[in-house]
Amino acid sequence: MSQTETSQFHQPANNSTPKDSNQSSEASDAQDRHLLLVEDDKGRRVFQLEAEVYSLGRDPSCDIRLFSMFVSRQHATLRRMTLDDGSYRYQIVDGNLQGQRSTNKISINGRPISSYELKDADQVMFGGSAGVSAKYYRLKPDDKKSGPLDPFDITLIDPSMLDG
């Protein structure tokens, strides 16, 4: 099954709506965009983060699947943390929510961690130097960035789709 692959925002299949029904929280953060740009053995993908929890790992049941044999089945977890001003950011935790850590750990901006509150442009490495990484972006409505939102905004066309 061949198809055109474009850089796009992926949503995990089991992405749930936020449990917090505090409308002022949702309204104040409605314009912020939380993105995770993942690079692994399958290439680059961009995920728009909206749910309260995401599992990351090699297992097909993970919300954000990481393609590499150096990545644990359940390598990390993202949890949405609500801030005092009603906005939110994401915390990354090594392993799953049951406390089981990944085999090859994670690091943020080159430093090994077990839990970390992500900030805009933080670089996450999964499994040391295994080549699986992610970059977190928190884009505020007043950010005046020129050009495409996705820095890898390219279109790849499967040659079998071309006529002639």
Side-chain angles (χ1 to χ4, degrees):
M1 169 172 36
S2 65
Q3 54 182 248
T4 302
E5 180 183 328
T6 60
S7 177
Q8 58 186 337
F9 299 115
H10 298 272
Q11 292 292 336
N14 60 352
N15 190 5
S16 62
T17 56
K19 292 178 189 172
D20 181 11
S21 61
N22 183 346
Q23 289 185 348
S24 64
S25 168
E26 291 175 6
S28 68
D29 199 43
Q31 298 300 317
D32 283 7
R33 297 180 73 185
H34 300 262
L35 305 176
L36 191 68
L37 185 126
V38 173
E39 185 170 0
D40 60 15
D41 291 352
K42 290 273 186 166
R44 293 181 185 116
R45 293 164 291 144
V46 176
F47 296 88
Q48 185 166 327
L49 304 175
E50 295 175 348
E52 288 192 26
V53 177
Y54 291 91
S55 58
L56 294 89
R58 195 179 71 225
D59 193 275
S61 68
C62 287
D63 300 315
I64 299 175
R65 192 158 177 209
L66 303 175
F67 295 93
S68 171
M69 291 308 296
F70 298 101
V71 171
S72 297
R73 290 178 193 269
Q74 295 181 351
H75 202 99
T77 305
L78 284 174
R79 293 189 309 186
R80 189 170 73 183
M81 310 298 288
T82 303
L83 304 175
D84 290 339
D85 66 359
S87 65
Y88 62 90
R89 69 172 57 162
Y90 282 87
Q91 175 187 36
I92 190 164
V93 177
D94 181 33
N96 61 27
L97 290 179
Q98 288 73 39
Q100 182 179 0
R101 302 280 186 213
S102 67
T103 301
N104 292 325
K105 312 295 180 220
I106 60 176
S107 64
I108 306 293
N109 304 322
R111 302 172 80 181
I113 61 94
S114 59
S115 178
Y116 180 83
E117 217 172 273
L118 292 168
K119 296 170 190 63
D120 185 49
D122 277 340
Q123 181 77 33
V124 182
M125 292 297 295
F126 300 91
S129 61
V132 179
S133 64
K135 194 154 191 175
Y136 171 77
Y137 294 99
R138 180 178 180 194
L139 304 175
K140 297 180 182 274
D142 57 349
D143 285 346
K144 304 289 187 224
K145 296 185 180 185
S146 61
L149 179 60
D150 180 359
F152 303 103
D153 191 15
I154 60 171
T155 301
L156 303 175
I157 298 174
D158 184 333
S160 66
M161 294 186 69
L162 300 175
D163 292 328

